[in-house]
Amino acid sequence: MEKKLTASSHLFVTVFLSGFATFIVIPAITDVTMFALCPGTDECSLAIYLSGLQQAMIGLGTALMMPLIGNLSDQYGRKALLTLPMTLSIIPLAILACSRTTNYYYAYYALRTLTAMICEGSINCLALAYLADNISDSQRASAFGILSGVSSGAFVCGTLAARFLSTGSTFQVATFVSMLAVVYMRIFLEESIPDQVDGMTQPILKEGEDVIQKDGNAPRKMPVYKKIPSVGDIISLLKSSPSFSQAAVVAFFNSLAEGGMISSLMYYLKARFHFNKNQFADLMLIAGIISTISQLFLMPLLVSPLGDGKLLSIGLLVSCANAILYSIAWSDWVPYAATALSIMMVFAPPSLRSIASKQAGAREQQGKAQGCISGISSLANIIAPLVFSPLTALFLSEDAPFHFPGFSIICIAITLMIAFIQSLMIGSAPSTSSDKNSSNCMEV
């Protein structure tokens, strides 16, 4: 048990450092983009469309890569697969650390798009699978909540640091911390290969000729191409449990809303209330502090009495209310007030992942299950900017059919309401225990 706690602590440090490097640049990237593309203006349709296109391309890549990365981590280990995205994420940060002129920005844009197809979401996906390898079902929701709390802590620290650093220094610090995260992970984090954790070697979704038998000697290895999940594998995984398939639907609509917020909110606030880098940083800092406290202290207390299904529904409903507040904001203090809702909004992601993890059953399937959910989320991230970026640009322009600058945000609220309604159905679905899943898989 002590060994598992130590391994988890090194994972948390790795996630914190990686998250810090990611979040520290967020308050600055909008101003960098506007300066490179439309200097001297507060409204830039080109920036909105390019950001939306980038988000869609990243979503397409991650939709294909997440199931593959998750499945390969089941075979080769979480640490081995973590090395790739953490290393690739250094490159685009280093470019803007050198300069933020237009040419450097386009180089960053191209490389960020390519590397994020592998990096975006994969660190979180593999971290969740690593925890699932070492944490029992009953403690998994709390562990996932703590992981989210660590990410929120990185968000707070990164945003706070960005508040006091110049734009150039921000990207230099981000580059250094990204490299530090890789070095720390390679030195201190122990490998976690599911076959080594529990001795099981039969995958959950392999046909008869692909099953690995154990005869007292070393298990036979499959060719690499046999380990790449097919569409049929993913469909079978979705059909393996009603709760898992419903969780996948919730993940899709929730990620569609999150992707819409990413592609719309900052440009909406900048055009509506003339937010600058420091105001974005302050807003994110307040939300991050509230989220961290909630995930580290409040959520673990509520998991046992309420269950992750109810926490998921609460988080989605409050997220919907938050989006409505943003859409009708009548003053620049309203977005700050809306951050108070973060105390319950943050229940949704770890609860959703916990539900999916419990339905996956055997440990050697955690990477595949988390990769499947991440892939579905990435599919939503393809669609989100294609829908919400044009809506945002249209209703912030003078050509809007009617005056409602927050129209795209209210559409996001509707998307979250759909996710909330679907989440209510998870609780009514028949539960699937790990033992039952494993038994059914052995029959396959």
Side-chain angles (χ1 to χ4, degrees):
M1 184 65 181
E2 183 178 351
K3 183 178 180 181
K4 291 181 178 181
L5 290 175
T6 302
S8 297
S9 65
H10 290 313
L11 176 69
F12 291 148
V13 173
T14 299
V15 171
F16 179 87
L17 292 173
S18 176
F20 180 91
T22 300
F23 295 131
I24 193 175
V25 302
I26 292 178
I29 196 63
T30 301
D31 285 345
V32 170
T33 302
M34 297 288 285
F35 177 78
L37 301 178
C38 305
T41 64
D42 285 334
E43 185 178 324
C44 181
S45 295
L46 177 61
I48 296 174
Y49 283 118
L50 280 180
S51 297
L53 176 63
Q54 182 185 56
Q55 189 179 342
M57 293 176 67
I58 291 172
L60 177 61
T62 53
L64 299 174
M65 293 301 299
M66 284 303 99
L68 173 60
I69 289 174
N71 196 47
L72 289 177
S73 75
D74 288 335
Q75 306 293 332
Y76 297 106
R78 317 303 184 196
K79 179 178 177 178
L81 268 293
L82 269 171
T83 304
L84 179 62
M86 290 182 67
T87 303
L88 289 177
S89 64
I90 300 172
I91 301 173
L93 295 174
I95 292 175
L96 289 186
C98 296
S99 178
R100 287 149 304 283
T101 60
T102 301
N103 290 336
Y104 274 84
Y105 175 79
Y106 279 118
Y108 159 83
Y109 181 91
L111 287 173
R112 158 72 178 159
T113 303
L114 293 174
T115 58
M117 290 180 179
I118 298 175
C119 304
E120 192 86 7
S122 59
I123 296 174
N124 185 58
C125 169
L126 294 170
L128 290 166
Y130 190 102
L131 281 179
D133 292 341
N134 296 281
I135 303 296
S136 64
D137 286 359
S138 61
Q139 298 177 320
R140 207 165 282 171
S142 296
F144 287 178
I146 292 172
L147 179 65
S148 296
V150 171
S151 296
S152 297
F155 180 87
V156 170
C157 294
T159 305
L160 184 62
R163 185 70 173 79
F164 299 103
L165 292 173
S166 66
T167 301
S169 299
T170 297
F171 286 95
Q172 291 168 1
V173 171
T175 303
F176 172 77
V177 175
S178 290
M179 293 187 290
L180 179 62
V182 176
V183 173
Y184 183 92
M185 184 269 296
R186 292 304 304 173
I187 294 175
F188 294 105
L189 187 66
E190 295 183 4
E191 184 59 275
S192 176
I193 301 177
D195 289 349
Q196 294 178 355
V197 172
D198 55 15
M200 292 184 293
T201 56
Q202 177 163 329
I204 193 171
L205 292 174
K206 289 295 179 184
E207 298 179 359
E209 65 270 20
D210 293 336
V211 172
I212 308 174
Q213 300 294 342
K214 203 168 186 179
D215 54 5
N217 299 318
R220 292 185 291 109
K221 297 291 184 181
M222 290 185 298
V224 172
Y225 72 90
K226 293 285 189 179
K227 298 171 183 177
I228 299 176
S230 66
V231 175
D233 286 338
I234 296 174
I235 293 175
S236 297
L237 182 59
L238 291 172
K239 289 181 177 180
S240 65
S241 163
S243 291
F244 188 87
S245 59
Q246 288 166 354
V249 174
V250 173
F252 176 83
F253 283 104
N254 184 50
S255 296
L256 187 64
E258 288 182 352
M261 280 292 194
I262 292 172
S263 61
S264 304
L265 185 59
M266 284 191 172
Y267 295 104
Y268 165 73
L269 293 177
K270 190 170 185 66
R272 184 82 189 276
F273 303 116
H274 307 289
F275 270 36
N276 56 32
K277 172 194 167 184
N278 289 338
Q279 288 173 302
F280 283 131
D282 292 340
L283 185 67
M284 293 163 62
L285 181 62
I286 296 169
I289 292 173
I290 295 172
S291 300
T292 303
I293 294 172
S294 177
Q295 289 171 323
L296 292 179
F297 301 105
L298 181 59
M299 186 175 175
L301 296 176
L302 296 178
V303 168
S304 296
L306 295 181
D308 41 24
K310 290 183 180 178
L311 288 179
L312 171 62
S313 298
I314 292 171
L316 291 171
L317 182 61
V318 175
S319 296
C320 178
N322 179 72
I324 293 173
L325 267 180
Y326 272 116
S327 69
I328 61 173
W330 56 92
S331 177
D332 58 2
W333 63 264
V334 176
Y336 292 99
T339 59
L341 297 178
S342 298
I343 196 169
M344 288 182 283
M345 289 167 55
V346 294
F347 293 165
S351 298
L352 178 63
R353 293 290 187 160
S354 176
I355 291 170
S357 177
K358 290 176 181 178
Q359 298 303 315
R363 287 175 177 172
E364 73 273 16
Q365 297 309 308
Q366 292 299 324
K368 182 178 291 183
Q370 298 298 339
C372 180
I373 294 295
S374 295
I376 291 169
S377 298
S378 298
L379 179 62
N381 285 331
I382 300 172
I383 301 172
L386 301 179
V387 175
F388 294 111
S389 291
L391 273 179
T392 303
L394 175 62
F395 280 88
L396 290 179
S397 70
E398 297 178 354
D399 299 326
F402 53 89
H403 181 70
F404 190 0
F407 182 78
S408 61
I409 311 298
I410 203 69
C411 292
I412 292 170
I414 295 172
T415 304
L416 285 166
M417 180 55 67
I418 296 173
F420 165 71
I421 294 172
Q422 181 63 40
S423 72
L424 297 176
M425 302 179 185
I426 295 179
S428 62
S431 61
T432 306
S433 66
S434 297
D435 292 340
K436 183 178 177 181
N437 272 332
S438 299
S439 174
N440 290 340
C441 295
M442 292 297 290
E443 292 176 2
V444 174

